[in-house]
Amino acid sequence: MRHRKKFNHLGRTSSHRKAMLSNMACSLIEHKRINTTVAKAKALRTFVEPLITKSKLDTTHNRRLVFSKLKDKYMVAELFREVAPKVGERPGGYTRIIKLGNRLGDAAEMAMIELVDFNDVYTPGKKQAKKKSTRRAGKKVKAEDQVESSNDSETKTDEA
């Protein structure tokens, strides 16, 4: 039984797992996307997203916390210099996992994990109007305002 076991051990010792996740996180920050197995991608997501959240506030303490996990000062610098400004307004969900199918040799499920804001296919350079969304209800629009806005659109179509 695996009651109350929070994360996947990935068939490795604790030190091997920490070193592997640290190296994979450095590769993800450097290349912005990497291919790996689905299990490792899910484990990497839980490892790297808190680090990206810490990088949004550039303090010495946060840099030291991130360095204690990544162990590479160049990747820490890149995380705080390049990645953090792009994800500054995003409230979480910095990575995306895309399944790629099975590996030829051992039929392991493969996936690509990438940083969301660095993909130009899905997010083409801020050309789309970014809609600010929240989970709480927004301001209610009065019925009078809706009638006026619909009247304005009717007059514009009549003129054209």
Side-chain angles (χ1 to χ4, degrees):
M1 292 183 289
R2 55 180 317 271
H3 297 304
R4 299 181 64 169
K5 295 195 187 310
K6 296 275 188 186
F7 58 91
N8 192 349
H9 295 284
L10 301 172
R12 288 165 170 79
T13 61
S14 175
S15 59
H16 185 184
R17 187 172 52 252
K18 286 177 186 173
M20 182 189 67
L21 289 174
S22 174
N23 288 333
M24 289 175 67
C26 289
S27 295
L28 180 65
I29 291 167
E30 182 180 1
H31 301 294
K32 311 306 185 242
R33 73 175 53 134
I34 57 173
N35 291 341
T36 183
T37 62
V38 172
K40 286 181 191 173
K42 288 180 179 180
L44 179 61
R45 178 174 52 191
T46 62
F47 182 84
V48 79
E49 290 211 359
L51 300 180
I52 296 173
T53 301
K54 282 181 181 53
S55 74
K56 287 163 70 170
L57 183 63
D58 191 3
T59 62
T60 305
H61 181 63
N62 283 347
R63 281 184 179 261
R64 287 178 177 167
L65 287 174
V66 171
F67 179 75
S68 71
K69 299 286 186 183
L70 289 183
K71 315 252 187 320
D72 186 352
K73 66 180 181 181
Y74 300 109
M75 290 305 112
V76 171
E78 184 165 343
L79 176 66
F80 279 85
R81 191 180 326 112
E82 293 180 19
V83 177
K86 266 201 162 177
V87 300
E89 296 168 6
R90 183 177 290 275
Y94 311 112
T95 57
R96 176 185 296 128
I97 296 176
I98 301 170
K99 293 186 180 179
L100 300 175
N102 294 338
R103 187 161 50 195
L104 210 53
D106 60 355
E109 274 190 290
M110 297 300 288
M112 177 177 66
I113 182 168
E114 65 182 2
L115 296 174
V116 172
D117 291 319
F118 288 90
N119 187 334
D120 294 333
V121 175
Y122 292 126
T123 54
K126 305 280 185 187
K127 289 182 183 176
Q128 298 172 349
K130 219 175 179 186
K131 182 183 172 191
K132 181 104 173 168
S133 63
T134 60
R135 291 185 170 213
R136 61 185 181 271
K139 291 184 179 179
K140 302 292 182 190
V141 179
K142 294 180 183 177
E144 299 167 359
D145 294 337
Q146 288 180 346
V147 171
E148 289 176 10
S149 63
S150 64
N151 289 341
D152 292 340
S153 62
E154 287 176 5
T155 57
K156 289 178 184 176
T157 55
D158 292 338
E159 293 171 4

